[in-house]
Amino acid sequence: MIEPRSVSQLLKAPIPDAPQGKQPVRLLACGAAKSVNSIVHSLHVLGFAEVGEWTPPLPSPVNGEVIRILTRYMNTGD
């Protein structure tokens, strides 16, 4: 089981499995849990990302809100 970490720890953590020649980009969805989950599912229906590619809901610094993070990889242009 993955040990839960704070959002700041996740954002600062290195991404060891980044494909060679690719730069990781993290996308964040922040807000009320129901709304964030709705966005994640809508993006799945549109073919943008699988629901399981997002982190589970993480506590936000804003009371009553959560954050979910999706990491994508972009070509570095090298």
Side-chain angles (χ1 to χ4, degrees), residues 22-36:
K22 303 274 185 171
Q23 180 68 39
V25 175
R26 294 181 186 103
L27 304 166
L28 298 126
C30 312
K34 186 174 181 179
S35 298
V36 169

Side-chain angles (χ1 to χ4, degrees), residues 5 7-27 53 55 69-74:
R5 298 190 286 181
V7 172
S8 62
Q9 288 173 320
L10 285 169
L11 292 176
K12 291 177 186 176
I15 301 175
D17 59 344
Q20 186 167 346
K22 303 274 185 171
Q23 180 68 39
V25 175
R26 294 181 186 103
L27 304 166
E53 292 180 291
T55 63
I69 303 169
L70 171 69
T71 303
R72 291 291 202 189
Y73 299 95
M74 306 299 296

Side-chain angles (χ1 to χ4, degrees), residues 58-72:
L58 303 163
S60 168
V62 178
N63 246 357
E65 293 190 357
V66 298
I67 297 173
R68 293 187 72 175
I69 303 169
L70 171 69
T71 303
R72 291 291 202 189

